[in-house]
């Protein structure tokens, strides 16, 4: 439908390790779905990944934009 938007972003980073710190390749994905009405945009989002230290993270959100 014309009043719906899906936005997906994928990212990766590879830092050079040093003698003091060993980095892993980091990955993240962010996805947002929004629905337009005459009053504004309603939506939900998901953000997740793994950082350069190997730790996982995630966030789920809901939003309203006018």
């Amino acid at each position: 439908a014309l009043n719906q938007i899906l936005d997906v972003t994928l990212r990766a980073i590879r830092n050079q390790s040093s003698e003091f710190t060993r980095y892993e390749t980091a990955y993240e994905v962010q996805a947002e779905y929004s629905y337009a009405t005459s009053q504004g945009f309603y939506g939900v989002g998901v953000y997740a990944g793994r950082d350069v230290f190997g730790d996982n993270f995630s966030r789920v959100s809901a939003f309203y934009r006018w």
Side-chain angles (χ1 to χ4, degrees):
L2 296 176
N3 56 349
Q4 299 178 41
I5 299 171
L6 177 62
D7 181 28
V8 179
T9 304
L10 301 171
R11 294 182 188 95
I13 185 170
R14 186 179 313 188
N15 290 332
Q16 182 177 353
S17 295
S18 70
E19 63 181 283
F20 303 106
T21 306
R22 186 181 183 308
Y23 296 112
E24 298 182 16
T25 302
Y27 300 97
E28 63 184 44
V29 61
Q30 182 173 5
E32 286 187 347
Y33 168 79
S34 58
Y35 181 80
T37 68
S38 60
Q39 291 81 32
F41 291 88
Y42 295 91
V44 293
V46 176
Y47 178 56
R50 181 177 12 187
D51 66 20
V52 295
F53 302 110
D55 296 324
N56 295 321
F57 60 88
S58 61
R59 177 182 70 206
V60 176
S61 60
F63 59 86
Y64 171 74
R65 296 181 182 132
W66 67 95

